[in-house]
Amino acid sequence: MTILVTGGAGFIGSAVIRQLIRAGETVVNLDKLTYAATPEALEEAADSPAYRFVHGDICDGPLVARLLEEYRPDAVMHLAAESHVDRSIDGPAAFLETNITGTFTLLEAVRRAGGIRFHHISTDEVFGSLGPSDAAFSETTPYAPNSPYSASKAASDHLVRAWGETYGLEVVTSNCSNNYGPWQLEVTTSSP
């Protein structure tokens, strides 16, 4: 199986790629190499003949279309995103561009290519905050984003669902929570 992973030089993306390579899959990693990228986390994968790295932006429609044509992936695992709530408060525009427009660009390219499963990796932040009596979020928890970051991820979740319903794309969304481990980025910003 060939999988196009977006944001594969990030904390979660690099862990996914290492696991996919160990499992014998072929991986194409599309990453812009922004502040959150840790190329060192991919040294293990980089030695594999089943791994390809492409430096690029998910908002670049022609590039995404070319990669789908060239590599013919069975699936796209979409992890590329601007992240971290504090950063979104200080500069929301980048979050709207990458998280919403980038997701739209990928969905359109997948729709045109046809036959590709789209796995969108999102966040529990789209559900807002747990109250004192709440044990956990579930698939039926209403969306209640509280920051530009979570609003941009909620919008991208809705785009993925809409493209699945409207155009028949095979889509799945994962809302991850409390990820931690090796290669995790520590972000410090000023709060308003």
Side-chain angles (χ1 to χ4, degrees), residues 13 30 48 52 55 65 97 111 123 141 156 159 162 176 190:
L30 172 60
S48 171
R52 300 285 181 273
H55 183 210
E97 178 68 17
R111 180 175 70 85
T123 175
T141 301
S156 65
L159 288 174
C176 303
S190 60

Side-chain angles (χ1 to χ4, degrees), residues 23-62:
E25 308 299 350
T26 299
V27 176
V28 179
N29 176 11
L30 172 60
D31 199 293
K32 193 175 175 181
L33 296 179
T34 63
Y35 70 95
T38 308
E40 301 83 13
L42 290 165
E43 288 175 358
E44 173 187 333
D47 292 335
S48 171
Y51 175 76
R52 300 285 181 273
F53 174 76
V54 178
H55 183 210
D57 190 338
I58 61 171
C59 293
D60 182 344

Side-chain angles (χ1 to χ4, degrees), residues 123-146 150 174-178:
T123 175
D124 68 335
E125 293 276 341
V126 300
F127 303 122
S129 301
L130 286 174
S133 63
D134 299 322
F137 296 119
S138 74
E139 288 83 3
T140 60
T141 301
Y143 276 63
N146 292 326
S150 57
S174 301
N175 296 98
C176 303
S177 176
N178 298 327

Side-chain angles (χ1 to χ4, degrees), residues 23-119:
E25 308 299 350
T26 299
V27 176
V28 179
N29 176 11
L30 172 60
D31 199 293
K32 193 175 175 181
L33 296 179
T34 63
Y35 70 95
T38 308
E40 301 83 13
L42 290 165
E43 288 175 358
E44 173 187 333
D47 292 335
S48 171
Y51 175 76
R52 300 285 181 273
F53 174 76
V54 178
H55 183 210
D57 190 338
I58 61 171
C59 293
D60 182 344
L63 171 63
V64 172
R66 181 179 61 77
L67 293 176
L68 296 181
E69 174 66 28
E70 181 177 347
Y71 293 102
R72 303 265 184 210
D74 301 286
V76 170
M77 290 188 73
H78 176 34
L79 293 103
E82 291 291 332
S83 60
H84 301 91
V85 171
D86 289 348
R87 288 189 69 255
S88 77
I89 294 167
D90 292 341
F95 287 73
L96 302 181
E97 178 68 17
T98 298
N99 299 353
I100 300 172
T101 303
T103 301
F104 163 75
T105 301
L106 289 167
L107 287 166
E108 278 295 277
V110 166
R111 180 175 70 85
R112 288 187 186 105
I116 301 170
R117 182 176 207 186
F118 192 88
H119 183 175

